[in-house]
Each structure stands twice: as C-alpha cells, then as structure tokens.
Amino acid sequence: MKASLTRRLDRLSVRFNELNQLLSNETVTADLDNFRKLSREHAEIIPVVDLYHAYQQVEGDLQTAREMAADPEMREFAEAEIQAGKERLAVIETELQKQLLPKDPNDERNIFLEIRAGTGGDESALFAANLFRMYSRYAERRNWQVEIISQSPSDIGGYKEIIAKIIGQGAYSRLKFESGGHRVQRVPVTETQGRVHTSTCTVAVIPEADEISEVQLNPAELRIDTFRASGAGGQHINKTDSAVRITHLPTGIVVECQDGRSQHKNKAQAMSVLAARIHAKQMRAQQAEQAATRKSLVGTGERSERIRTYNYPQGRVTDHRINLTLYKMDQIMDGDIDEICSALMAEHQAEQLAASMEE
C-alpha cells in the first residue's frame, strides 16, 4: 500500500476515535445541527476504518505465515497462506481506494423530484405520470415516503408538471443520475392508426438543503403571493387563499405550493423547495468548473437532451450514458430500477477511480 494512503487511513482512524468520544458525550444533542453532522461523518468513516482494520489483520496474518515458512514441516501450508493473504490484501486495498474516493456530501439527503412534460403534448403528460409512478413505486420498495408538493394535471390524466419530495436515507445517492431527458416510444392512446410516436419528459433531482438557513434567504428579496388553489381538493381548498407562490427576486426562481389546505404548511413547503432550488443552482455553478476538465455522469436536467429511452413496442429500456439495455419494461415501469441505478453508480465510481489513478 502507498505510504500516502496509509497516512490518510491512520488519520481517519484517529478521527474515528475522536468522533466516538464526541458522540458519547451526553451534551452532544444540545446542538442538533452539529449532532447530525457528526453522526453523518461517523457513518461515512465506519466502513473505511473497518476495512483498514481488516487490512491490518491480514498483514499480521501474513507476517505470521512468513515466520511459519521457516519451518520445513510448515512451509507448504505457510506458502499457501501467504499467497491467499496477498490476494486478500489486493482486494481490500482496491476496496479502500474506492471508499476513499470523494464523497458527494448530498448523497444521504432527501430529494425534490421534478418531472415536466416535454415534446409530445398529451402523450408527454401521460408519460410524465408513468415516470412519477415508476419513482413512487421505487420509493415504496425502499420504504421511502413520497409527498406531492405541487401538480399540474393534464386534461386526459397525465401531468404537465409534478413536484414531489422523497424522504429516505440515501435517496439522492440512488436517484441523482435520473436527472435529464427521458424519451418514450409507443403508440399513444389517442392514436387511431397504430403509429408509434416519440415523446419526451425532463426529470430533475434536487437534494434537500439541511436547513433553509444554509441558503441565505433575505425576506426583502422574496415576494410572497397567496391565491386560491385550482383543481381538485374539495370545497374548503377552493374557498380559501391557501395556495402560496414565492418569487426569489435575485434569481427569478418561482415556487408554488397548493396541495395542502393550510396556507402555513404550503408556505413552509414552498420555502423548502425554494431553498433546495437555490442550493442546486449554487452547486451547478461549482460543478461547472469541474465539468470542463472531465466528464461527469451526474445529470442536472439540462446536460442532455436524452439520457434514456423507453421503447414499448420492443419492451426495452436503454440508458444511453452507459449503453445499458434491459428487456424488462413492465418491471422497470413498476419501480424495479435498482439494476439501472446500481449500474450508473458503478460506472461513476469506476470513472472516479480511473481519474484518481492518473493523478
């Protein structure tokens, strides 16, 4: 193992012991923000420290085997142990290098999922509903919560736009590569001659900011309007000005929330979405500098016209970024997207590892 890697692992081991002491202090929960940060850091370090301890254990076993090899009666057994130990060390070292790759600080956060119909009219809106169901079913499989923030239904049952919050550990890490253009090829329900049409939707996955204070929101820079909610919701929601629209004047970002009956709840939800969108805008500005030097698989919703195609007549789904084609359309549209998410994560990790080797 490289000396630089060993030094880094030694520092992490020391930090791990420090975190154990800090988290065992009975006053640690007095500052909940700090407690969350320490807990998150502790959870990130545990797998690395455990691997390093395993590496050290195998090194110790190797040394013992080398000493045994001096005994003629034990030499054959010892040489087999030495060979197995070297192979085990190589595997652990590779895994340690992966664990030490730069972590996305947003990986464990909840997300805001935004799906918007693109080209294709009513068929695009229906596809937006299909995508929302796909992600909702995936969330159910992982025991995550889904809360609709706002929706703009189409005339025939789809969505012109739908925004939802997905609450669950690691939501962003699993779904961050879903941002971008999604294309569907199928015969629309409104098509009378059986012709296949192509429609598109855009998906944006935005990590939730820890606290609104993380994004400096100046009340003087906000315009808050209230209005009556439109669409379904019962008599109560249509008689009160419960819907809220917030405009962030410096950036022009506008957020609406009208799903709840309480104006207070709608305002809180809208402020949360606004903070996340501003946070995402800041992140994109930082990532733009890195994008010029190496390709990133992390989608932003603006990077690509097409990241994935759903071809219904052929029953296939193709992710164009990694040339992955799966012939399991029904399962995928029912939320079985783990294979796609895992492949995208693995490809991104391989790319990071290759880049770190070149440095």
Side-chain angles (χ1 to χ4, degrees):
M1 185 184 294
K2 293 181 181 177
S4 59
L5 185 58
T6 301
R7 287 194 296 270
R8 187 175 175 190
L9 289 166
D10 285 336
R11 288 196 299 270
L12 279 176
S13 294
V14 171
R15 178 57 178 164
F16 180 71
N17 292 331
E18 291 175 354
L19 288 168
N20 280 335
Q21 292 180 351
L22 289 169
L23 289 169
S24 64
N25 191 314
E26 60 184 17
T27 63
V28 69
T29 54
D31 183 344
L32 288 177
D33 284 342
N34 187 52
F35 174 68
R36 280 193 291 265
K37 288 176 182 176
L38 291 175
S39 299
R40 185 178 298 160
E41 184 182 358
H42 186 268
E44 289 173 356
I45 290 178
I46 284 177
V48 184
V49 174
D50 285 348
L51 272 174
Y52 187 37
H53 288 164
Y55 186 92
Q56 292 172 319
Q57 179 65 49
V58 175
E59 275 192 321
D61 294 343
L62 262 177
Q63 183 58 36
T64 301
R66 291 189 181 103
E67 293 170 0
M68 289 170 56
D71 183 346
E73 294 183 2
M74 300 293 294
R75 184 173 298 143
E76 184 177 348
F77 172 76
E79 287 177 351
E81 287 294 298
I82 290 170
Q83 181 60 33
K86 287 180 178 178
E87 292 173 1
R88 177 67 177 148
L89 278 184
V91 171
I92 297 176
E93 184 173 352
T94 300
E95 188 59 33
L96 278 169
Q97 288 174 334
K98 290 180 180 179
Q99 289 284 348
L100 290 173
L101 289 172
K103 296 286 194 302
D104 188 330
N106 296 307
D107 272 351
E108 296 306 311
R109 296 180 188 238
N110 303 326
I111 65 166
F112 290 105
L113 173 70
E114 304 184 354
I115 304 174
R116 295 180 178 86
T119 57
D122 286 338
E123 169 62 7
S124 177
L126 289 172
F127 181 48
N130 296 147
L131 288 177
F132 178 66
R133 182 183 183 278
M134 179 183 79
Y135 293 124
S136 296
R137 295 283 291 129
Y138 181 63
E140 287 177 21
R141 290 167 184 261
R142 301 189 73 88
N143 295 315
W144 295 341
Q145 290 178 255
V146 179
E147 296 179 358
I148 295 177
I149 303 298
S150 68
Q151 55 183 302
S152 177
S154 70
D155 294 334
I156 61 171
Y159 294 112
K160 298 173 185 175
E161 174 188 272
I162 183 165
I163 300 173
K165 181 178 181 180
I166 297 182
I167 304 167
Q169 186 174 8
Y172 185 69
S173 69
R174 297 298 300 178
L175 293 176
K176 62 185 176 182
F177 300 110
E178 293 303 297
S179 293
H182 294 242
R183 182 176 70 171
V184 64
Q185 294 173 324
R186 64 185 178 188
V187 178
V189 293
T190 54
E191 169 61 51
T192 57
Q193 298 182 30
R195 294 173 299 184
V196 173
H197 288 227
T198 298
S199 303
T200 62
C201 285
T202 60
V203 173
V205 176
I206 304 172
E208 180 187 30
D210 269 346
E211 298 288 344
I212 290 179
S213 59
E214 185 174 329
V215 176
Q216 297 301 318
L217 290 177
N218 184 347
E221 297 176 342
L222 302 177
R223 187 174 71 239
I224 302 176
D225 303 307
T226 59
F227 57 98
R228 293 186 182 180
S230 59
Q235 294 180 344
H236 175 81
I237 201 168
N238 289 319
K239 288 183 177 178
T240 62
D241 290 340
S242 60
V244 174
R245 179 187 299 112
I246 302 177
T247 305
H248 186 242
L249 300 175
T251 61
I253 295 174
V254 179
V255 176
E256 289 185 6
C257 187
Q258 56 176 301
D259 256 41
R261 292 188 173 186
S262 161
Q263 185 183 116
H264 177 75
K265 183 179 179 180
N266 280 333
K267 181 180 177 182
Q269 288 275 37
M271 289 288 278
S272 182
V273 175
L274 178 62
R277 286 189 185 173
I278 294 174
H279 183 61
K281 186 180 179 74
Q282 293 169 347
M283 282 172 48
R284 286 197 294 270
Q286 293 170 355
Q287 291 169 355
E289 298 177 8
Q290 302 170 357
T293 56
R294 66 182 180 88
K295 183 183 73 174
S296 171
L297 285 176
V298 181
T300 63
E302 301 168 0
R303 183 179 62 82
S304 173
E305 287 299 316
R306 181 191 65 186
I307 63 169
R308 192 175 300 149
T309 295
Y310 305 74
N311 187 301
Y312 275 73
Q314 297 179 17
R316 65 171 171 85
V317 176
T318 300
D319 195 290
H320 305 287
R321 295 163 295 180
I322 54 175
N323 295 319
L324 173 69
T325 296
L326 299 173
Y327 288 89
K328 44 189 291 187
M329 174 70 73
D330 291 343
Q331 297 96 312
I332 287 171
M333 297 313 294
D334 194 43
D336 184 9
I337 59 173
D338 251 331
E339 187 173 353
I340 297 174
C341 294
S342 296
L344 287 165
M345 292 173 72
E347 181 71 16
H348 180 55
Q349 190 177 64
E351 191 175 73
Q352 283 183 302
L353 192 58
S356 69
M357 295 294 189
E358 294 173 2
E359 293 176 356

